Amino acid sequence: MDKITLQRIEKLHPVVRNEVMQIIKECDEALTGRAKIRITQGLRSFEEQEKLYAIGRITSGKKVTNAKAGQSIHNYGLAVDICLMIDGKTASWDTAKDWDNDKVADWYECVKIFAKHGWDWGGNWKTFKDLPHFEKKEIDTKKGPVKATWRTLLKMARDKNGYVII
């Protein structure tokens, strides 16, 4: 696991950090070729979200998100975006390439591992597919599972570090 991925995991919500470490470890073990996983985005501030939402609306460029500040699971540290790092040097978002020649695209090997851990993949969305995106939509708590929708998360109290109290 590379240093950048580790730094991004450390900023995720504490309830998912260990699970994300395990997912990335499993992905890296499954990918026996030249590709390894890098988290390109984890926790995102409301300010960062507003800037992304403005692209294609207020600023030039193609729209990159339909989520305003507070409407992205990234804003709560419960989502990650990934890429494949080829030979530790080149970022790739190629979902078809099979770098380890095991007859399964490396990207989909990772999609399966995230799914096994209960993470939703943006590639399964009906509209505005987001292939690099994975989010934890159900959090296990002492009181039972909690659906982690942005509407629910937005209303939750926060701890001293700014994380929603789950």
Side-chain angles (χ1 to χ4, degrees):
M1 197 171 320
D2 70 8
K3 184 178 174 184
I4 292 169
T5 294
L6 287 169
Q7 290 170 342
R8 291 180 176 143
I9 291 171
E10 279 302 309
K11 292 179 182 174
L12 293 174
H13 194 290
V15 302
V16 298
R17 287 179 192 159
N18 288 338
E19 183 173 50
V20 172
M21 290 277 286
Q22 181 62 33
I23 291 168
I24 300 304
K25 182 177 177 266
E26 288 178 30
C27 287
D28 283 348
E29 287 171 359
L31 304 178
T32 58
R34 298 169 51 204
K36 297 295 176 204
I37 293 298
R38 172 173 287 172
I39 294 177
T40 59
Q41 181 85 101
L43 177 66
R44 187 183 298 145
S45 72
F46 279 36
E47 182 182 352
E48 290 170 306
Q49 191 67 38
E50 278 303 310
K51 287 180 182 173
L52 288 176
Y53 184 77
I55 298 170
R57 293 175 177 88
I58 297 167
T59 60
S60 63
K62 184 181 175 194
K63 289 180 185 177
V64 295
T65 183
N66 281 332
K68 295 178 182 178
Q71 295 179 349
S72 171
I73 303 301
H74 280 289
N75 299 146
Y76 307 95
L78 299 170
V80 296
D81 293 342
I82 66 164
C83 73
L84 298 174
M85 291 301 293
I86 312 308
D87 298 326
K89 297 176 190 160
T90 307
S92 171
W93 288 267
D94 186 332
T95 60
K97 185 74 175 153
D98 178 19
W99 294 98
D100 56 7
N101 297 312
D102 63 0
K103 311 247 185 300
V104 181
D106 289 1
W107 197 274
Y108 289 97
E109 289 184 64
C110 294
V111 168
K112 288 176 191 172
I113 292 167
F114 272 94
K116 179 180 88 171
H117 287 273
W119 287 65
D120 290 339
W121 178 45
N124 288 331
W125 294 348
K126 300 286 183 255
T127 59
F128 207 85
K129 290 190 182 289
D130 190 354
L131 301 179
H133 182 88
F134 297 87
E135 58 187 51
K136 188 71 171 181
K137 283 290 192 135
E138 192 168 279
I139 308 295
D140 290 325
T141 69
K142 291 173 187 167
K143 297 176 185 176
V146 172
K147 292 276 186 203
T149 68
W150 70 263
R151 286 181 177 86
T152 304
L153 294 165
L154 190 59
K155 296 174 189 170
M156 295 172 97
R158 294 184 177 253
D159 67 16
K160 64 180 171 56
N161 296 312
Y163 296 106
V164 292
I165 300 170
I166 298 175

